[in-house]
Amino acid sequence: MNLVHVSILILYLLGLIATGIWFSRSKKISTGDDFIFAGRQLPTVVMVGTLVATWVGSGTIIGGASFVYSYGPLASLIFFAGTPLGILVLYVLARRIRVSGSYTVPQILEMRFGISVRMLAAAITILAYIGIVAYQFTGGGSIIALVTGLTPGQGATIATLIITFLALGGGLKSVAWSDFFSAAIIVTGLLIAVPLVLGHTDGFTGWWENLPEDATTFSGGLSALALLGYFLPTFLLIIADQNMYQRLGASKDPAAARHAMAGMFFASFLIYFPVIVLATAAITLLPDGDPGDAVLGLASAGLMPTVLGGLILASALAFIITTGSSFLLSVGSNIVYDGFARFSRGELSDRRRIVTHRLTILVIAVLAYVLGTFFPTVLELQMYSYTVYGVALVPPLMAAFFWRRATTPAVLTSMGLGVLVTIGWEQLADSELNAVIVSLPAAVVALVVVSLVTTPRAEALPDELADAEPGGSGPDAPDSGTTDPSTRKEP
């Protein structure tokens, strides 16, 4: 146990808690929009920081590093490619997402396909996001255990309490600003760490020449389908990630939403490049290490200056904490807006929305903590959660935005089949292939075939989902999207 690392970690966590307390004040959080959209007033640079930090959690710091350590740097380029490619898709959709004014992804689907699709999508989102929150608890516990000497279970309990507190306190305002500071620190720390760690491998020459043979190939020893099975879940998740949609909804206007996605695209390389380099170096520098500790192990093993190692460990934990808080906040919105607000007889007051949101966060946190005890590794739970959500939600979302012929029965069939095939494959199949290789084609084929034999809704593409140009008087107006579009009355 390194006392400097422990001290930095404690100070960092106290800073996160102080941020949550500051933004939990009633004058900062007085409406439902304040809680989930930060009042739609986040500066673009903070938007970029929170987008990056929300996406880069234990799935990157632990799960992604584990993949690099196991299969090598070239294969990891394919594994990580899903993020920048998915960001490009979101850049195209950013204007429509901001204009739709939706609180949740299921709400967007209702605008196109009706209430039944919204309810099924909400149930699937809750199922998948509880899993994602669970592996943030597990990943955070691993870092705390690595630094302090506590057991991973004890660390997970501490991570759970802090993650839940941040989500309960100031909502997106506290999460976004803590994201921004954490992103700045960890990017700086990782970039500084790269040349220092390469000094222990004799530069890139030794870094490469000491790798096992399989680790120097683009397959990493995996079959093409197995490698595709690692790429697709990440790619699908980011395209439909409700956190991304809600942060785009928190931007000041549609143009700011696109600027934020462009910033995230470039910032993502500042994370993935050093993670790949550092985790690859760990193959030779820490040959008997735990794959999940490939990056964090370098920081704790004395291979970089003590203060720098402490900052990387602390900010990596902060990334995981804010990612977990973001997903808790997001999945709580499904219960509040897709459930209580959608079916209440009168409009929910801001106070009731905030109270209900906070109560649901507590319940979900408990469920996620319990779930995390059933999966032995972060990477395993990561692939399972990503696949369930991505396979079920991406085909309907793409159809909602781009395919006028898609029908409600087809979407329901596609979503249900995607989930069932994913769960069935994971539970019953004895194969190296991730379920997405089977479940995604099944979901897409079902969507296309059933759409062609059924009748589409009369209003195939609502105005809110059309790609309107800025400056008009229609749904692109900056103040659009302040009410639930799915509750608007038809003329």
Side-chain angles (χ1 to χ4, degrees):
M1 182 173 65
N2 187 308
L3 292 179
V4 174
H5 288 176
V6 174
S7 300
I8 292 174
L9 186 70
I10 292 174
L11 289 174
Y12 210 117
L13 293 179
L14 290 175
L16 290 178
I17 294 171
T19 302
I21 293 174
W22 175 262
F23 284 106
S24 65
R25 295 173 301 156
S26 58
K27 69 177 182 179
K28 291 287 185 181
I29 303 296
S30 58
T31 70
D33 271 15
D34 285 340
F35 195 73
I36 196 170
F37 287 134
R40 302 183 194 269
Q41 293 297 317
L42 289 177
T44 299
V45 66
V46 176
M47 283 282 296
V48 173
T50 189
L51 284 166
V52 171
T54 296
W55 182 249
V56 179
S58 62
T60 298
I61 301 298
I62 296 177
S66 175
F67 185 92
V68 178
Y69 189 92
S70 301
Y71 303 109
L74 297 182
S76 70
L77 294 177
I78 299 174
F79 176 84
F80 285 122
T83 294
L85 292 177
I87 292 173
L88 292 177
V89 175
L90 285 177
Y91 178 82
V92 173
L93 295 175
R95 184 179 304 282
R96 305 189 203 191
I97 294 169
R98 175 61 181 87
V99 168
S100 73
S102 299
Y103 290 93
T104 67
V105 166
Q107 187 179 332
I108 291 177
L109 292 174
E110 182 186 4
M111 294 164 61
R112 175 70 195 277
F113 299 113
I115 185 62
S116 58
V117 171
R118 181 176 185 174
M119 291 300 99
L120 180 57
I124 292 169
T125 302
I126 293 169
L127 170 69
Y129 276 27
I130 288 176
I132 294 174
V133 171
Y135 74 71
Q136 305 307 320
F137 291 168
T138 303
S142 297
I143 297 179
I144 293 174
L146 186 67
V147 175
T148 64
L150 297 173
T151 67
Q154 292 169 331
T157 301
I158 295 172
T160 299
L161 293 174
I162 296 174
I163 288 171
T164 305
F165 171 77
L166 274 181
L168 285 172
L172 184 57
K173 281 189 177 181
S174 62
V175 170
W177 279 97
S178 58
D179 280 350
F180 169 69
F181 293 121
S182 298
I185 292 173
I186 197 169
V187 167
T188 302
L190 288 174
L191 291 176
I192 293 174
V194 166
L196 296 175
V197 170
L198 287 177
H200 295 281
T201 64
D202 296 324
F204 276 108
T205 300
W207 176 87
W208 178 260
E209 290 178 348
N210 292 325
L211 294 177
E213 184 177 351
D214 279 346
T216 62
T217 67
F218 275 103
S219 68
L222 295 169
S223 67
L225 281 178
L227 192 57
L228 183 64
Y230 281 106
F231 162 80
L232 282 174
T234 304
F235 175 66
L236 294 175
L237 176 65
I238 194 169
I239 291 176
D241 184 8
Q242 188 166 265
N243 283 291
M244 300 293 109
Y245 284 57
Q246 288 174 338
R247 276 155 177 73
L248 292 173
S251 59
K252 294 181 179 180
D253 51 50
R258 279 198 163 182
H259 293 157
M261 291 313 305
M264 183 187 181
F265 177 83
F266 291 106
S268 67
F269 291 99
L270 300 179
I271 298 289
Y272 292 136
F273 169 73
V275 165
I276 291 172
V277 173
L278 295 173
T280 302
I283 297 174
T284 53
L285 296 176
L286 303 173
D288 299 321
D290 184 337
D293 293 337
V295 171
L296 302 177
L298 295 173
S300 63
L303 294 171
M304 57 183 72
T306 302
V307 173
L308 177 62
L311 283 174
I312 288 177
L313 288 167
S315 53
L317 177 60
F319 261 22
I320 291 172
I321 285 174
T322 54
T323 297
S325 297
S326 295
F327 276 93
L328 267 179
L329 181 66
S330 184
V331 71
S333 69
N334 291 110
I335 297 175
V336 174
Y337 293 99
D338 296 324
F340 290 102
R342 180 63 180 81
F343 294 103
S344 63
R345 294 183 178 180
E347 185 174 351
L348 288 181
S349 66
D350 283 313
R351 177 175 173 76
R352 285 189 62 191
R353 279 195 287 173
I354 293 174
V355 170
T356 304
H357 208 149
R358 285 172 167 157
L359 289 175
T360 60
I361 285 171
L362 283 175
V363 174
I364 293 164
V366 172
L367 293 175
Y369 179 79
V370 173
L371 179 63
T373 64
F374 290 97
F375 284 83
T377 68
V378 168
L379 186 60
E380 179 183 347
L381 185 52
Q382 174 187 358
M383 290 296 103
Y384 182 83
S385 301
Y386 283 16
T387 301
V388 166
Y389 185 80
V391 166
L393 272 295
V394 169
L397 269 174
M398 295 302 100
F401 285 118
F402 298 115
W403 194 31
R404 295 175 181 272
R405 185 64 180 79
T407 67
T408 298
V411 168
L412 290 171
T413 303
S414 173
M415 293 167 66
L417 189 61
V419 172
L420 291 176
V421 173
T422 297
I423 295 176
W425 183 270
E426 293 290 346
Q427 296 299 318
L428 302 176
D430 184 16
S431 171
E432 69 167 355
L433 299 180
N434 284 322
V436 68
I437 297 298
V438 178
S439 57
L440 180 61
V444 172
V445 169
L447 177 61
V448 173
V449 171
V450 178
S451 288
L452 294 178
V453 298
T454 54
T455 303
R457 287 162 59 92
E459 185 183 5
L461 189 64
D463 289 342
E464 292 87 349
L465 301 187
D467 192 15
E469 291 299 322
S473 58
D476 243 348
D479 61 347
S480 68
T482 56
T483 59
D484 185 340
S486 64
T487 63
R488 297 173 186 165
K489 303 299 183 182
E490 292 296 328

